[in-house]
Amino acid sequence: MTEKKKRKQHYVNNPDFLAAMIIFRNAVIEAKENNRERPRVPHYVGECLMKIAVHLSHKPNFSGYTYKEDMISDGIENCLLYIDNFDPEKSSNPFAYFTQIIYYAFLRRIAKEKKVMYTRLKYTEESFALNMNNTTQHGDTSNYSPPSKVNEWSNEYVDNFIEQFEETVRKKK
């Protein structure tokens, strides 16, 4: 006996999403022509954008970050910024369009967070070096403790992170 595999349901129905985007786009165009207030993004469209962002954040290349909520909100914010650029005459796939926007928003957030982490680590490293220099100059070694295995691993991680970040910056220039 073979069991029928259940067909995986898509979390966003692309034809319905496209129809909602067309209706919204027409409402925006009509509001501009009649000098009326721009209509709000429909609830269904917002729900689709949220589902796309959340599901994309569960992908293996984005799943391990602690700032996942920031990534999701950046993605949704970018979608809302560029929602008027979606043209149904050029593409009938709003799912792919918005997934791409969210994907690149995630990458920008990761780069931003790495830069913040680099700044913190570099500052900590320089602060530690300055404190060690001051302590040894004054002959006070009472607060000094030899490095443990955990500290060695942490220092190695920090050094590698800083080195990789600086190398990436050098390559970009």
Side-chain angles (χ1 to χ4, degrees):
M1 297 177 112
T2 59
E3 291 181 30
K4 284 187 177 179
K5 286 188 176 180
K6 287 186 179 179
R7 191 162 187 236
K8 194 173 184 178
Q9 291 291 321
H10 295 288
Y11 53 92
V12 174
N13 186 342
N14 208 28
D16 292 347
F17 191 24
L18 176 62
M21 284 301 299
I22 291 171
I23 292 168
F24 174 67
R25 182 176 171 81
N26 291 339
V28 169
I29 292 170
E30 184 181 319
K32 276 185 185 176
E33 289 172 353
N34 297 328
N35 291 327
R36 287 187 300 186
E37 188 177 318
R38 185 182 186 282
R40 296 178 82 182
V41 175
H43 179 75
Y44 178 73
V45 171
E47 192 176 292
C48 290
L49 297 176
M50 183 72 169
K51 286 179 181 178
I52 293 169
V54 168
H55 277 76
L56 187 60
S57 75
H58 293 306
K59 296 288 182 188
N61 47 342
F62 299 122
S63 66
Y65 295 104
T66 57
Y67 40 87
K68 210 185 303 190
E69 291 83 15
D70 293 332
M71 291 166 53
I72 291 170
S73 38
D74 285 353
I76 293 169
E77 179 184 9
N78 278 241
C79 286
L80 295 174
L81 282 172
Y82 300 111
I83 197 165
D84 291 340
N85 294 350
F86 178 75
D87 187 359
E89 293 174 8
K90 290 182 181 177
S91 171
S92 61
N93 195 347
F95 179 84
Y97 176 77
F98 290 110
T99 300
Q100 202 73 2
I101 289 173
I102 294 169
Y103 176 84
Y104 285 106
F106 283 11
L107 294 181
R108 283 190 298 277
R109 170 54 70 176
I110 291 168
K112 211 181 286 185
E113 292 292 335
K114 280 186 177 181
K115 186 174 183 179
V116 167
M117 186 175 177
Y118 167 77
T119 305
R120 286 182 185 155
L121 291 175
K122 196 70 171 170
Y123 176 76
T124 305
E125 184 180 67
E126 289 173 5
S127 175
F128 180 74
L130 183 63
N131 285 340
M132 283 301 293
N133 191 22
N134 286 342
T135 328
T136 54
Q137 279 182 354
H138 295 28
D140 179 17
T141 57
S142 60
N143 292 332
Y144 176 76
S145 61
S148 68
K149 290 286 184 195
V150 173
N151 285 343
E152 287 177 24
W153 179 85
S154 298
N155 290 340
E156 187 177 322
Y157 173 79
V158 169
D159 291 343
N160 286 339
F161 179 84
I162 290 173
E163 188 178 305
Q164 287 174 353
F165 186 85
E166 289 174 347
E167 183 63 30
T168 303
V169 170
R170 271 193 294 275
K171 284 181 181 177
K172 284 183 181 178
K173 288 182 179 181

Coordinates of all heavy atoms in Angstrom, one line a residue, residues 9 36 44 67 76 86 114 118 120 137:
Q9 N 0.9 22.9 0.6 CA 0.2 24.1 0.3 C 1.1 25.3 0.3 O 2.0 25.4 1.2 CB -1.0 24.4 1.3 CG -2.1 23.4 1.2 CD -2.9 23.5 -0.1 OE1 -3.1 24.7 -0.5 NE2 -3.2 22.4 -0.7
R36 N -6.8 62.7 -4.7 CA -7.3 62.2 -3.5 C -6.2 61.5 -2.7 O -5.1 61.3 -3.2 CB -8.4 61.1 -3.7 CG -9.7 61.7 -4.2 CD -10.8 60.7 -4.2 NE -10.3 59.6 -5.1 CZ -11.1 58.6 -5.5 NH1 -12.3 58.5 -5.0 NH2 -10.6 57.7 -6.4
Y44 N -4.9 42.0 3.0 CA -4.4 40.8 2.4 C -3.0 40.9 1.8 O -2.2 40.0 2.0 CB -5.4 40.3 1.2 CG -4.9 39.1 0.5 CD1 -5.0 37.8 1.2 CD2 -4.3 39.1 -0.7 CE1 -4.5 36.7 0.5 CE2 -3.8 38.0 -1.4 CZ -3.9 36.8 -0.7 OH -3.5 35.6 -1.3
Y67 N 18.8 38.8 15.5 CA 18.1 40.0 15.1 C 17.1 39.7 14.0 O 16.9 40.6 13.1 CB 19.1 41.1 14.8 CG 20.3 40.7 14.0 CD1 20.2 40.6 12.6 CD2 21.4 40.4 14.6 CE1 21.3 40.3 11.9 CE2 22.6 40.0 13.9 CZ 22.5 39.9 12.5 OH 23.6 39.5 11.8
I76 N 9.8 44.1 5.3 CA 8.4 44.6 5.1 C 8.5 46.1 4.8 O 7.7 46.6 3.9 CB 7.5 44.3 6.3 CG1 7.3 42.8 6.4 CG2 6.2 45.0 6.2 CD1 6.7 42.3 7.7
F86 N 5.9 47.9 -8.4 CA 5.4 46.6 -9.0 C 4.5 46.9 -10.1 O 3.5 47.6 -9.9 CB 4.8 45.7 -8.0 CG 4.3 44.4 -8.6 CD1 5.2 43.4 -8.9 CD2 2.9 44.2 -8.9 CE1 4.7 42.3 -9.5 CE2 2.5 43.1 -9.4 CZ 3.4 42.1 -9.8
K114 N 26.8 43.4 11.3 CA 28.2 43.0 11.4 C 29.1 44.2 11.6 O 30.1 44.1 12.3 CB 28.6 42.2 10.1 CG 28.2 40.8 10.1 CD 28.8 40.1 8.9 CE 28.4 38.6 8.9 NZ 28.9 37.9 7.8
Y118 N 31.5 44.7 14.7 CA 32.9 45.0 14.5 C 33.3 46.2 15.3 O 34.4 46.2 16.0 CB 33.2 45.3 13.0 CG 34.5 45.9 12.7 CD1 35.7 45.1 12.7 CD2 34.6 47.3 12.5 CE1 36.9 45.7 12.5 CE2 35.9 47.9 12.2 CZ 37.0 47.1 12.2 OH 38.2 47.6 12.0
R120 N 32.0 47.3 18.1 CA 32.0 47.0 19.5 C 33.3 46.1 19.8 O 33.9 46.4 20.8 CB 30.8 46.2 19.8 CG 29.5 47.0 19.9 CD 28.4 46.1 20.3 NE 27.1 46.8 20.3 CZ 26.0 46.3 20.1 NH1 25.8 45.0 20.0 NH2 24.9 47.1 20.1
Q137 N 52.4 49.3 33.1 CA 53.3 50.4 33.3 C 53.4 50.8 34.7 O 54.4 51.3 35.2 CB 52.8 51.6 32.5 CG 53.2 51.6 31.0 CD 52.7 52.8 30.3 OE1 52.0 53.6 30.8 NE2 53.0 52.9 29.0

